[in-house]
Amino acid sequence: MSVRKGRLPQNIILIGFMAAGKSSVGRLLAKELGWRFLDTDSEIERITGLEIPDIFKNYGEARFRSEEKAAVKRLSGLMNTVIATGGGTVLNPENWQLLQQMGLTVYLYAPLAIALQRAKNQKNERPMITNNSPEEIEKLWQVREKIYQRAELVIDTSTKGLKEITDDILRFINFYSL
Ligand code: S3P
């Protein structure tokens, strides 16, 4: 997408590996833009009344992915929203297509070691980390990385704080020159 000066995208969709900072950046970005913030995982929890680790534990990954797909479909009519996706959301080609049509896709890149370190420092359980071996997680990261790279904007978050990352996105969409 090429964003013309003074024309904001309809939505901003944040993608990337677990613990890349999608929700934290998304919240700040939405605040700066005066937009709504939504998180696909929170949507799934709200609709199912279940926490993500419990969906994985009691019903399996396939059920989670089907709830995730339904959540993306429900979001597809939105405007002026920053959407943080789960790390596996864009692996499904239909999800990717819908999200891409909704607005600007931004990949928050973090090297695997940094993402894992960030995940360790957070309280929420991530079944795709706890249920997989380090080798499987590395493979997951490599496969996903290629898909994430299709985003229209890629930001390396390894040496940047929340404000800097948010400012990079705002600069990209020419927000500061409005
Ligand atoms: C997942 C990432 C999680 C959540 C679920 C599956 C994944 O979201 O959607 O546990 O497959 O990478 P975060 O990326 O916010 O951790």
Side-chain angles (χ1 to χ4, degrees):
M1 170 193 277
S2 52
V3 180
R4 266 194 286 141
K5 232 180 171 59
R7 297 269 317 263
L8 294 178
Q10 288 193 334
N11 300 285
I12 298 177
I13 299 100
L14 302 177
I15 70 170
F17 203 69
M18 291 171 272
K22 292 163 290 179
S23 299
S24 315
V25 170
R27 242 177 246 113
L28 182 58
L29 186 59
K31 194 168 159 230
E32 295 288 322
L33 286 162
W35 284 8
R36 173 177 32 194
F37 169 73
L38 283 177
D39 183 311
T40 53
D41 282 343
S42 309
E43 282 302 292
I44 295 166
E45 293 188 327
R46 189 176 63 79
I47 297 290
T48 61
L50 296 165
E51 296 201 352
I52 304 293
D54 291 331
I55 302 179
F56 273 81
K57 215 178 296 145
N58 300 328
Y59 304 99
E61 186 183 349
R63 167 72 187 274
F64 172 77
R65 296 299 168 200
S66 117
E67 296 294 348
E68 188 173 51
K69 195 170 165 202
V72 170
K73 269 213 179 105
R74 272 195 303 272
L75 299 182
S76 60
L78 291 176
M79 296 263 290
N80 299 346
T81 306
V82 178
I83 300 164
T85 57
T89 312
V90 294
L91 266 70
N92 177 307
E94 286 173 49
N95 290 347
W96 176 247
Q97 206 188 348
L98 274 180
L99 290 166
Q100 215 187 6
Q101 284 165 359
M102 287 179 68
L104 176 73
T105 49
V106 181
Y107 171 26
L108 299 186
Y109 165 85
L112 179 58
I114 290 184
L116 291 179
Q117 191 53 50
R118 288 179 187 161
K120 234 188 213 169
N121 296 335
Q122 293 169 1
K123 278 194 301 272
N124 55 318
E125 191 205 324
R126 290 186 162 93
M128 295 302 285
I129 293 181
T130 45
N131 298 348
N132 284 305
S133 68
E135 294 75 26
E136 285 166 330
I137 294 169
E138 168 132 35
K139 180 90 188 103
L140 210 63
W141 188 88
Q142 279 168 1
V143 169
R144 290 175 171 198
E145 156 70 3
K146 293 190 186 72
I147 297 170
Y148 298 148
Q149 285 287 350
R150 296 183 197 147
E152 288 148 290
L153 173 64
V154 179
I155 298 180
D156 184 349
T157 68
S158 35
T159 57
K160 287 180 178 161
L162 283 188
K163 175 87 175 87
E164 241 180 311
I165 300 166
T166 305
D167 280 351
D168 280 355
I169 301 172
L170 291 171
R171 253 192 303 276
F172 181 82
I173 60 172
N174 290 310
F175 180 68
Y176 289 122
S177 65
L178 285 181

